[in-house]
Amino acid sequence: VQLQASGGGLVQAGGSLRLSCEVRRSIYRIVTLGWYRQAPGKYRELVAKITYGNSDYADSVKGRFTISRDNAKNTVYLQMNNLKPEDTDVYYCYAGLYSRAFSPMSENWGRGTLVTVSS
């Protein structure tokens, strides 16, 4: 399984970015897609996740970020609006999926994409 993320970059406070992550190879069924972020020396924390049609958000991003998934493309998106300097982090794509029928669910991570919000 490979997770290919893109869309990070530098933006001014109040701006927007859209992250994308495509899941490739060995996919039987994707259960959960999500985005986490991690600053140096800190734990990785949930930003948003979507399990089938149900989405969850960290309180700090509610009303500003929107997660969506395109099942036909095995892709998850994170639309980030009204970005704040405290959103600066490395963002990691996550996929919980079954590679084959009757196999256990695996947890898979992308490499991370840097989002920098300047004040």
Side-chain angles (χ1 to χ4, degrees), residues 1-42:
V1 178
Q2 289 185 340
L3 277 66
Q4 185 68 43
S6 61
L10 173 64
V11 65
Q12 288 187 334
S16 298
L17 283 174
R18 188 192 194 206
L19 304 182
S20 301
C21 178
E22 181 185 3
V23 183
R24 300 173 178 173
R25 301 185 184 175
S26 303
I27 301 167
Y28 175 71
R29 186 169 75 235
I30 299 174
V31 179
T32 299
L33 292 167
W35 293 93
Y36 289 70
R37 62 188 181 188
Q38 186 173 20
K42 294 189 176 181

Side-chain angles (χ1 to χ4, degrees), residues 3-90:
L3 277 66
Q4 185 68 43
S6 61
L10 173 64
V11 65
Q12 288 187 334
S16 298
L17 283 174
R18 188 192 194 206
L19 304 182
S20 301
C21 178
E22 181 185 3
V23 183
R24 300 173 178 173
R25 301 185 184 175
S26 303
I27 301 167
Y28 175 71
R29 186 169 75 235
I30 299 174
V31 179
T32 299
L33 292 167
W35 293 93
Y36 289 70
R37 62 188 181 188
Q38 186 173 20
K42 294 189 176 181
Y43 290 106
R44 191 171 295 185
E45 63 177 11
L46 172 70
V47 177
K49 64 178 180 178
I50 183 166
T51 302
Y52 298 119
N54 299 315
S55 56
D56 293 297
Y57 295 91
D59 288 342
S60 60
V61 306
K62 285 181 180 177
R64 300 188 296 123
F65 291 10
T66 303
I67 190 169
S68 60
R69 60 192 283 178
D70 185 332
N71 294 324
K73 297 181 179 180
N74 294 327
T75 299
V76 62
Y77 305 96
L78 185 68
Q79 178 66 42
M80 305 185 292
N81 297 328
N82 191 22
L83 282 159
K84 302 176 181 180
E86 51 264 43
D87 294 318
T88 295
D89 258 326
V90 177

